[in-house]
């Protein structure tokens, strides 16, 4: 079966020309990004946050053939993240884990998914069971990071 990136609409209009700030702690990954209002004016006091928990692994690479995930289904969303169906990467990870521990599914009941998030010149891929989106206040720390 062919891999397909299924878009999940975000409730905000991500500024994809700006880099996201990605934080990792324990088995959590947070992707923070700036966004525009309906008039394409930057929202100055808030940021979008995608919070991944139970993360198995993640990867990103610059200088890909394309800035966007190549198997994304066409859509009209201003902003989205993707869930990759029939993920070769996820299937490979499961095979490798099964080689090391054939009983891993008996104690790890999570249903992992392959997520893709756009980030300026590249995309970020995350294997996790779930993601939550919300909008939070932009801290002074984040202001300084984006202003550097």
């Amino acid at each position: 079966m062919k891999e397909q990136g299924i878009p999940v609409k975000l409730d905000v209009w991500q500024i994809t020309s700006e880099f996201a700030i990605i934080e990792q702690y324990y088995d959590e990954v947070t992707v923070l990004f700036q966004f525009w209002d309906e008039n394409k004016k930057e929202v100055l006091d808030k940021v979008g946050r995608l919070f991944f928990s139970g993360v198995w692994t993640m990867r990103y690479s610059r200088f890909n053939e394309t800035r966007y995930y190549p198997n994304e289904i066409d859509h009209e969303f201003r902003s989205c993240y993707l869930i990759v169906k029939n993920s070769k990467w996820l299937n490979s990870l499961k095979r490798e884990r099964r080689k090391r521990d054939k009983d891993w599914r008996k104690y790890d009941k999570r249903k992992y998914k392959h997520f893709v998030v756009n980030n300026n010149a590249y995309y970020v891929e995350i294997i996790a069971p779930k993601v939550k989106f919300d909008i939070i206040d932009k801290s002074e720390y984040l202001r300084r990071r984006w202003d550097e």
Side-chain angles (χ1 to χ4, degrees):
M1 295 179 128
K2 182 180 175 188
E3 281 187 324
Q4 288 187 307
I6 310 298
V8 178
K9 184 179 180 181
L10 289 171
D11 293 334
V12 296
W13 190 357
Q14 181 180 3
I15 303 175
T16 54
S17 59
E18 293 287 339
F19 285 102
I21 293 174
I22 302 167
E23 298 176 331
Q24 180 271 327
Y25 178 76
Y26 184 55
D27 69 345
E28 301 168 343
V29 172
T30 303
V31 179
L32 302 158
F33 58 87
Q34 299 179 88
F35 61 92
W36 288 308
D37 66 15
E38 291 299 315
N39 298 314
K40 208 170 181 180
K41 300 248 189 249
E42 183 180 342
V43 176
L44 298 174
D45 61 339
K46 304 283 183 190
V47 295
R49 176 174 65 180
L50 288 166
F51 178 75
F52 298 86
S53 57
V55 173
W56 181 345
T57 189
M58 67 176 286
R59 67 183 181 187
Y60 67 93
S61 176
R62 294 175 50 204
F63 313 117
N64 293 316
E65 192 173 317
T66 175
R67 290 175 53 178
Y68 304 102
Y69 185 75
N71 299 320
E72 184 173 338
I73 291 177
D74 288 337
H75 59 83
E76 299 295 321
F77 302 148
R78 288 181 171 167
S79 297
C80 66
Y81 63 89
L82 305 175
I83 298 176
V84 179
K85 298 293 183 191
N86 306 313
S87 167
K88 292 176 187 173
W89 183 37
L90 178 55
N91 288 334
S92 173
L93 289 168
K94 287 178 181 178
R95 277 192 306 275
E96 285 300 312
R97 192 165 177 188
R98 206 169 21 253
K99 282 181 190 175
R100 289 190 307 276
D101 180 2
K102 65 180 174 145
D103 294 327
W104 73 276
R105 276 299 190 195
K106 290 180 181 175
Y107 56 86
D108 187 347
K109 302 292 186 189
R110 292 174 280 209
K111 297 194 182 325
Y112 292 99
K113 298 175 187 167
H114 178 176
F115 296 96
V116 177
V117 179
N118 286 326
N119 184 28
N120 190 309
Y122 58 92
Y123 51 89
V124 178
E125 298 176 86
I126 300 168
I127 302 292
K130 58 186 173 181
V131 62
K132 177 184 165 200
F133 170 75
D134 60 359
I135 297 169
I136 62 169
D137 292 335
K138 186 186 282 186
S139 68
E140 189 58 36
Y141 165 75
L142 294 174
R143 281 184 185 62
R144 285 196 308 270
R145 289 290 291 146
W146 274 304
D147 288 342
E148 289 178 348

